[in-house]
Amino acid sequence: MAIEHEDVRRAAHLAMLGLDEREAERYVTDLSRILEMVDRLQEVDTEGVAPLAHPLDTTQPLRADEVIEPNRRDALQACAPAVTDGLYLVPRVVE
Amino acid sequence: MHDKTLAELARGLAAGQWSSRDITTALLDRIERLDPALNSFITVTGDQALQDAEAADEARARGQAGILAGVPLAYKDIFCTEGVRTSCGSRMLDNFIAPYNATVIDKLRQAGTVSLGKTNMDEFAMGSSNENSHYGPVKNPWDHSLVPGGSSGGSAAAVAAGLVPAALGTDTGGSIRQPAAFCGITGLKPTYGRVSRYGMVAYASSLDQGGPLARTAEDCAWLLNVMAGHDARDSTSVSRSVPDYTSELDKPLDGLRIGLPREYFGEGLDEGVASAIRDAIRVYESLGASVIDVSLPHTELAIPTYYVIAPAEASSNLSRYDGVRFGHRCENPETLEDLYKRSRAEGFGEEVKRRILIGTHTLSEGFFDAYYRKAQQVRRLIRQDFLDAFQQVDVLMGPAAPTPAFPLGETADPVQMYLQDIYTIAINLAGIPGISVPAGFVGHRPVGLQILAPHFAEAHLLNVAHAFQQATDWHQRRPDVDSPDPR
């Protein structure tokens, strides 16, 4: 499946990744080549083959819904770009 | 001292031949002298290492030291280490001081090992050459014009150069085995789920697996003894008892059935590499093993399958880097969307962006079934190939990479670079363990023999690798890193 400039712009927006026009154009070429390689999968007959999400073919175990971690808010927020009163600060988006 | 294996250093510590402080000081001096040319470390934690070394020596004097106490290690900068920068090779995490330890780091610290620092790597473990690091490329100790392999290239180069006896790496598509092969050392990717992934920065969660890079299979066994085991904090880690991986090392190989996948010896394989691998197989035959021709018919589909699944998982995992809670934040963002987009644009490098874009595209509306679902179906076929082969043989053998180490800057085409992982990638899709051991040279460039075993058969895998190292001396060859200009 071919990929076009607009597809790259759309993926970049969905991924919240800023791209200028020149970069987007370069990625059209790269991604087209990668998808061309990946398209070989379409030739494989997978009728009746169940998808394999976990390499050991097991399901994710469930655990009890219990609090097991102590509150380490101060330590975890020590590496934040901006914090005040225990809250992460982001730009104002509503005037 | 820098030429010793991890086991030799540990035995010398136990015998009182040297102290942990002696070893640590010698290796820190060596790092200071040699690493500016190699660039194998991102962060050297010298002061902390000396403190830990003295603590290990004191514990030993009190008779409270375990077998690995005082042994120096280094960690790929993908493992969270409390109070130490954990950059994952990315500008995005250049300012990130991890607030906790990865489970394997905790386990190795509890065993008394001494960390010398964090090793260089391809950004977010995406790469086959270690040229994608924000901190610049790592040089191959055998020849500074060559790549060390990726993405655990810093760990591999540091071990090969004798800066540290062993280091941790991670392997998502070959990132322990391929750099081990390129640098002439031993690298083990355990079975998926055997070693906890908690605190290991996630790239592709259903493929990532941490493991040791060292000089010998014996050293890998010692480290795996500490690293392996269930971790309640990692829901993908396996609840299964951990054997003593050193206990089978010396078992004879009589009756071993080796499968040679014919797809691993076809077009694209360097003649010199093929010749070294065939010589290695003959060594095994001389030790009593028999060789059987087998087929892994879906081998050629491994790379296309990987380049759907890994970027899809990466696009999800890397969405956490949004400039809000930690990591790089752009200057003066105008809106929240501007904050996200510019922080991510500035923080991520080219290869990471490429994989985020491909992953986001293949998971997006209208494409999911054609790409992601299809790749997961083919993944089952690839895994089944290995299960079928292991009905006939005990282990599989072949090259770890189609060529020896290539020149820095040689491969600009991403698709060509992806083909480097043709012999390693399927192993991650199937979740089986694999090891690369030194098995010869093409000119001065090391060649790695890859050995594969069924799920959780690491003890047997290490036994098979160890037998080879008892019969050959490839793992004892050292690059001339003390020369001012190696090659």
Side-chain angles (χ1 to χ4, degrees):
Chain A
M1 279 173 256
I3 191 164
E4 297 181 358
H5 190 86
E6 206 39 52
D7 297 315
V8 172
R9 305 274 341 157
R10 176 170 165 265
H13 175 67
L14 289 172
M16 286 288 134
L17 195 57
L19 284 189
D20 62 34
E21 288 301 312
R22 229 179 78 234
E23 277 183 298
E25 200 48 55
R26 195 174 70 238
Y27 284 122
V28 171
T29 312
D30 282 357
L31 268 52
S32 295
R33 295 205 53 225
I34 295 167
L35 289 178
E36 196 178 304
M37 171 187 80
V38 162
D39 275 343
R40 294 195 47 210
L41 298 179
Q42 305 308 325
E43 298 158 16
V44 186
D45 180 6
T46 52
E47 185 69 33
V49 178
L52 179 72
H54 189 293
L56 303 179
D57 206 10
T58 57
T59 52
Q60 199 84 333
L62 298 176
R63 59 176 166 79
D65 185 15
E66 291 167 352
V67 177
I68 51 171
E69 295 289 342
N71 182 356
R72 297 185 61 216
R73 186 164 68 178
D74 290 347
L76 296 173
Q77 289 191 331
C79 52
V83 170
T84 191
D85 298 333
L87 303 173
Y88 293 98
L89 289 188
V90 293
R92 183 185 293 278
V93 288
V94 178
E95 291 296 337
Chain B
M1 205 173 290
H2 64 270
D3 276 343
K4 305 280 183 215
T5 68
L6 179 136
E8 286 167 348
L9 288 176
R11 290 184 185 115
L13 281 165
Q17 283 176 271
W18 44 67
S19 68
S20 178
R21 189 182 168 83
D22 294 338
I23 305 170
T24 302
T25 306
L27 294 184
L28 287 174
D29 286 351
R30 200 169 160 80
I31 290 169
E32 190 177 356
R33 186 162 56 85
L34 298 173
D35 204 51
L38 289 170
N39 198 28
S40 69
F41 278 83
I42 290 175
T43 303
V44 179
T45 50
D47 292 343
Q48 184 64 48
L50 287 169
Q51 280 178 33
D52 290 349
E54 280 168 14
D57 287 336
E58 286 165 16
R60 192 171 294 282
R62 292 194 303 271
Q64 293 171 340
I67 194 167
L68 286 179
V71 171
L73 296 175
Y75 304 129
K76 184 177 183 177
D77 207 18
I78 199 169
F79 290 95
C80 284
T81 39
E82 189 172 1
V84 177
R85 176 168 61 174
T86 299
S87 76
C88 218
S90 180
R91 183 184 181 205
M92 180 61 85
L93 290 176
D94 181 55
N95 60 2
F96 178 60
I97 309 294
Y100 66 101
N101 276 330
T103 294
V104 287
I105 304 297
D106 265 344
K107 286 182 167 206
L108 287 162
R109 274 191 70 80
Q110 281 160 19
T113 62
V114 173
S115 172
L116 300 186
K118 310 291 289 292
T119 55
N120 204 347
M121 57 179 286
D122 280 310
E123 183 180 8
F124 286 102
M126 298 180 189
S128 305
S129 64
N130 223 124
E131 293 171 291
N132 298 333
S133 170
H134 173 60
Y135 303 94
V138 177
K139 312 288 172 55
N140 190 313
W142 291 90
D143 180 338
H144 289 184
S145 70
L146 303 177
V147 302
S151 63
S152 310
S155 289
V159 173
L163 306 186
V164 66
L168 298 198
T170 62
D171 192 314
T172 305
S175 285
I176 287 175
R177 291 159 287 155
Q178 186 247 28
F182 280 11
C183 290
I185 63 165
T186 305
L188 170 70
K189 183 206 93 74
T191 304
Y192 180 80
R194 182 73 288 191
V195 170
S196 171
R197 292 172 35 249
Y198 179 81
M200 207 175 93
V201 178
Y203 159 21
S205 304
S206 79
L207 302 162
D208 297 338
Q209 183 61 77
L213 294 108
R215 295 221 165 91
T216 64
E218 181 187 29
D219 286 359
C220 290
W222 283 40
L223 287 170
L224 191 60
N225 273 350
V226 178
M227 295 170 69
H230 179 244
D231 178 7
R233 292 184 295 187
D234 171 8
S235 62
T236 61
S237 89
V238 175
S239 181
R240 189 177 170 122
S241 63
V242 178
D244 178 354
Y245 292 108
T246 61
S247 66
E248 289 186 32
L249 281 175
D250 292 312
K251 275 175 68 171
L253 295 186
D254 293 344
L256 180 77
R257 296 168 301 165
I258 298 171
L260 297 188
R262 68 185 71 117
E263 293 81 5
Y264 285 22
F265 292 88
E267 200 183 332
L269 177 59
D270 178 273
E271 276 181 26
V273 173
S275 169
I277 299 303
R278 294 200 184 283
D279 287 347
I281 305 295
R282 276 193 280 277
V283 171
Y284 277 105
E285 287 180 297
S286 75
L287 296 173
S290 59
V291 173
I292 298 161
D293 179 47
V294 297
S295 177
L296 300 170
H298 296 96
T299 294
E300 283 196 15
L301 298 171
I303 289 181
T305 302
Y306 178 91
Y307 280 99
V308 174
I309 292 171
E313 294 184 7
S315 70
S316 171
N317 276 325
L318 271 59
S319 65
R320 72 191 64 175
Y321 305 104
D322 55 11
V324 173
R325 289 152 300 148
F326 61 97
H328 175 74
R329 176 181 283 188
C330 65
E331 294 285 338
N332 305 317
E334 290 176 3
T335 64
L336 197 55
E337 187 172 313
D338 182 43
L339 166 77
Y340 292 152
K341 286 189 171 176
R342 276 205 289 131
S343 296
R344 288 164 65 77
E346 291 168 9
F348 292 137
E350 187 178 334
E351 182 61 27
V352 172
K353 288 180 188 172
R354 189 180 286 126
R355 294 193 197 191
I356 288 175
L357 288 171
I358 200 88
T360 305
H361 177 71
T362 56
L363 287 178
S364 64
E365 189 184 358
F367 298 105
F368 179 87
D369 280 344
Y371 289 116
Y372 192 70
R373 186 180 160 79
K374 186 78 176 179
Q376 296 285 45
Q377 289 174 307
V378 177
R379 181 180 195 174
R380 184 176 292 280
L381 300 176
I382 290 167
R383 180 177 182 270
Q384 192 59 45
D385 283 354
F386 286 105
L387 299 183
D388 292 345
F390 287 128
Q391 294 293 313
Q392 306 170 60
V393 298
D394 302 305
V395 291
L396 296 166
M397 289 190 190
T403 65
F406 46 87
L408 284 154
E410 183 188 67
T411 310
D413 174 6
V415 174
Q416 278 306 311
M417 186 68 88
Y418 298 166
L419 295 173
Q420 262 299 317
D421 298 333
I422 180 77
Y423 305 131
T424 50
I425 243 168
I427 284 75
N428 300 74
L429 292 165
I432 61 172
I435 193 168
S436 176
V437 294
F441 289 84
V442 175
H444 63 288
R445 297 179 292 169
V447 172
L449 167 71
Q450 183 176 219
I451 314 169
L452 310 172
H455 294 107
F456 299 103
E458 283 88 352
H460 191 216
L461 188 61
L462 290 161
N463 163 228
V464 172
H466 180 67
F468 184 71
Q469 295 184 331
Q470 296 303 294
T472 63
D473 68 353
W474 300 117
H475 61 291
Q476 292 172 354
R477 310 286 179 95
R478 302 281 186 264
D480 184 14
V481 282
D482 288 297
S483 153
D485 181 21
R487 300 199 71 84

